[in-house]
Amino acid sequence: MAPASPIDRDPFADPITSVEQPNHAVSSTLAVGRNASLTLATDSLIVLDEAFSRRETFNCCGLIPTGPKTTRAIPFYNILWAELSEFDITIQYAQQTTKAVVRVASVNYEIEKSGRQFAASWVSQLLSHAYGESQSRKRIKVLVNPVGGKGSAQKSYTRDIEPILAAAKCEIDVERTQFQGHAVEIAEKLDIEAYDVVAACSGDGLPYEIFNGLGKKRDARRALSKIAVVQLPCGSGNALSLNLNRTNSNSLAALAVVKGIRTPLDLVSITQGDQRILSFLSQSFGIIAECDLGTDHLRWMGSARFTWGFLVRLLGKSVYPCDIAVKVDISTKPEIREHYRNELNHRSPPEESRGDNEPYPSSSSEEGLPPLTYGTVNDPLPSNWTLVPSPKLGNFYCGNMPLVAPDTNIFPAALPCDGFADLVTIDGDISRVSSIRSMLAVATDHKFFDMDHVCYRKISAYRLIPKSDGGGSGGELYVSIDGERLPCKPWQAEVHRGLGTVLSRRGGLYESKGVL
């Protein structure tokens, strides 16, 4: 059977049991004492140590001893750092202790003085295998939201995240946010020459603030291309980490950041009134916005509050009248599938996919945000747009990432940097049975996408004009931008290809299943 492709391979799988190891040249093996050696295999470090066989191990029930095992496979993805001192070599790695937790572990062996020159070369090879395309020893500004995760964000950072970043020799500068909007101020004043990454130890609210803070800088385009924004999930909504790291685990996300590959990300300019903000995740109006913002008083229910909010509005068959004008680029589902396949099959190196938003190498650049091709919401509607009345709209949901929550794949055709946003619209007068089927289908591969009543398009801009500021199920209408509330007034959106930067596991792809 052919080995798994790099896209499908589990980086935590034991390569000894899953991949046939080839014969290795002598230069890939470092002898460490009479009875031990370290070998650079295909995708792992193989530790051979006869001392392992003298440590009795047990099966999963903890009752019956297992046979002796003299080897240990450590995937290169899990290798954090390796150091050679005068007398020994120490390798630190992330050891998986449960399905959702990794902890720092290490192996240490003495090195003969006569072999130090080869050992130094071997360590260099190991680190090259361990980091590949990723930058090692990242300089990270960590922002901790002290109220995130029901007040446990600081504890989670200290226990689960910091040890991994430290073991990987990252340069860490930690700051706690003091109030809502503080991260905007921090990012706006950030010395972008001093850091490679800004990490939000929070939910999705802090990344939203960081992107907008960088967007306020005089050299906004350069700042957004140079600084990678990442999430160390410590909140109720962790979509950024779910999509880029395949996890909402603190420690697994920390490992993913250590090994993350710089990836351009489309950002969306939102204009409303006289303000312009950036959106990295989604914009919603209708039932989704109400389920998010209109159930804030039910946070004690956890994620169940969204289901409760949906069912309450479903029973009332709520509609949200508005006028919508959209710049549609790909209008049919077969064409969207073809576009998705083409992007996957002809991927450019991540930094080459930014389009017109190339990094700005000059530190003196004062290029702000890109100009708006279609103007603002205050300008006349572009001549090639048509304003369509939507008196029975049930849901308007525009997104840039597939997963809005675990197992909730609303936008399966979304890509990090294709220059488009994915727009889903659904009428509010469909049957209650169809609505319930829609809710259940988002957890199943592509069923939601393929439903006849789900209108799915690839777009580059739109304008939405609510018909009133009241009339939802609670007498109030909501506009949600990345989970943050905006006034229920007209707004306009425009996609900027590759304007932002994040770190991802695969460079240019999300971690969810797409519409193949």
Side-chain angles (χ1 to χ4, degrees):
M1 183 173 68
S5 70
I7 287 179
D8 299 325
R9 184 182 300 133
D10 180 357
F12 295 108
D14 186 339
I16 281 184
T17 60
S18 60
V19 179
E20 183 179 350
Q21 302 295 335
N23 293 326
H24 299 285
V26 175
S27 60
S28 68
T29 299
L30 176 66
V32 284
R34 294 176 57 187
N35 300 313
S37 65
L38 306 173
T39 299
L40 304 178
T42 304
D43 53 9
S44 64
L45 168 66
I46 306 300
V47 183
L48 173 63
D49 190 340
E50 292 185 8
F52 292 161
S53 65
R54 296 192 289 272
R55 302 170 189 169
E56 192 171 56
T57 58
F58 296 84
N59 67 359
C60 62
C61 298
L63 300 175
I64 305 173
T66 60
K69 186 176 182 181
T70 60
T71 59
R72 179 182 303 167
I74 306 173
F76 289 139
Y77 180 84
N78 291 46
I79 300 291
L80 299 172
W81 199 250
E83 283 187 319
L84 183 67
S85 67
E86 185 175 358
F87 300 107
D88 61 4
I89 181 174
T90 301
I91 300 170
Q92 292 187 295
Y93 63 98
Q95 182 178 45
Q96 191 154 16
T97 58
T98 70
K99 184 178 180 180
V101 176
V102 290
R103 299 285 185 229
V104 175
S106 64
V107 292
N108 177 271
Y109 292 98
E110 292 184 359
I111 296 290
E112 295 289 339
K113 187 174 182 180
S114 60
R116 285 196 82 259
Q117 183 175 355
F118 172 70
S121 175
W122 186 92
V123 166
S124 179
Q125 288 185 63
L126 171 61
L127 291 176
S128 178
H129 283 297
Y131 281 89
E133 298 176 61
S134 176
Q135 174 191 356
S136 62
R137 307 186 74 161
K138 297 178 176 74
R139 302 170 300 166
I140 306 176
K141 175 75 172 182
V142 179
L143 301 184
V144 180
N145 177 6
V147 300
K150 298 181 180 179
S152 63
Q154 181 65 57
K155 179 180 178 181
S156 296
Y157 172 75
T158 303
R159 180 192 62 205
D160 302 326
I161 298 168
E162 186 177 34
I164 292 173
L165 301 183
K169 305 301 179 184
C170 295
E171 296 181 28
I172 311 168
D173 177 14
V174 184
E175 185 171 353
R176 295 176 64 180
T177 57
Q178 304 298 320
F179 49 86
Q180 186 173 6
H182 191 197
V184 176
E185 295 182 8
I186 295 171
E188 184 178 4
K189 298 174 182 176
L190 189 76
D191 178 3
I192 63 174
E193 303 303 327
Y195 302 98
D196 307 303
V197 177
V198 177
C201 200
S202 69
D204 291 316
L206 230 55
Y208 168 81
E209 292 188 12
I210 294 166
F211 278 120
N212 278 282
L214 295 174
K216 289 178 176 292
K217 296 179 75 70
R218 295 175 66 180
D219 56 347
R221 272 186 276 184
R222 183 169 186 273
L224 287 163
S225 71
K226 185 179 186 303
I227 299 295
V229 179
V230 303
Q231 182 182 50
L232 299 167
C234 290
S236 57
N238 302 307
L240 188 62
S241 181
L242 287 169
N243 283 288
L244 296 170
N245 305 330
R246 199 193 306 167
T247 185
N248 57 8
S249 156
N250 302 322
S251 57
L252 292 179
L255 176 59
V257 167
V258 165
K259 294 305 179 76
I261 300 169
R262 288 178 58 85
T263 302
L265 179 72
D266 294 340
L267 296 179
V268 180
S269 276
I270 306 294
T271 60
Q272 186 182 65
D274 295 326
Q275 72 169 335
R276 177 181 180 182
I277 58 176
L278 296 176
S279 168
F280 76 93
L281 179 59
S282 65
Q283 310 97 50
S284 62
F285 174 73
I287 195 168
I288 294 293
E290 278 209 33
C291 291
D292 183 6
L293 301 175
T295 60
D296 205 53
H297 62 292
L298 300 174
R299 283 187 176 272
W300 57 271
M301 295 178 65
S303 60
R305 70 185 176 98
F306 299 104
T307 303
W308 169 259
F310 179 85
L311 292 174
V312 167
R313 287 152 182 83
L314 171 63
L315 292 173
K317 299 191 75 170
S318 301
V319 295
Y320 307 83
C322 62
D323 293 339
I324 306 172
V326 181
K327 172 65 171 64
V328 179
D329 297 273
I330 308 177
S331 60
T332 70
K333 292 177 182 178
E335 290 175 318
I336 289 172
R337 272 199 163 91
E338 184 64 24
H339 167 78
Y340 188 88
R341 294 191 190 102
N342 288 338
E343 288 288 322
L344 263 61
N345 293 333
H346 303 94
R347 282 196 296 150
S348 302
E351 286 294 342
E352 293 181 12
S353 62
R354 287 189 186 271
D356 294 333
N357 292 302
E358 296 294 341
Y360 285 79
S362 171
S363 60
S364 62
S365 171
E366 294 188 0
E367 294 279 355
L369 291 175
L372 295 169
T373 303
Y374 304 105
T376 74
V377 69
N378 300 318
D379 294 319
L381 197 70
S383 58
N384 59 341
W385 293 19
T386 301
L387 200 64
V388 178
S390 302
K392 295 183 178 181
L393 179 76
N395 187 35
F396 177 99
Y397 208 178
C398 187
N400 188 38
M401 296 185 179
L403 297 171
V404 297
D407 302 318
T408 307
N409 192 344
I410 298 289
F411 306 107
L415 291 160
C417 189
D418 66 349
F420 303 126
D422 289 31
L423 175 61
V424 169
T425 54
I426 302 175
D427 289 338
D429 60 351
I430 61 173
S431 70
R432 292 184 177 92
V433 171
S434 294
S435 294
I436 292 174
R437 286 175 178 168
S438 298
M439 183 178 71
L440 298 175
V442 295
T444 308
D445 292 345
H446 311 156
K447 281 191 176 180
F448 177 77
F449 176 87
D450 289 324
M451 286 181 157
D452 291 337
H453 63 266
V454 174
C455 180
Y456 196 115
R457 293 167 285 179
K458 286 274 187 180
I459 69 168
S460 53
Y462 69 85
R463 180 180 296 184
L464 190 146
I465 304 173
K467 299 306 291 183
S468 67
D469 60 1
S473 62
E476 188 175 12
L477 295 180
Y478 294 88
V479 174
S480 175
I481 307 297
D482 295 354
E484 303 297 318
R485 186 174 183 179
L486 255 61
C488 189
K489 297 179 180 179
W491 83 90
Q492 184 161 305
E494 180 177 323
V495 181
H496 305 290
R497 181 171 185 175
L499 178 60
T501 304
V502 291
L503 298 179
S504 68
R505 288 166 61 107
R506 294 188 281 168
L509 290 176
Y510 288 124
E511 293 302 311
S512 60
K513 292 183 178 179
V515 287
L516 293 174

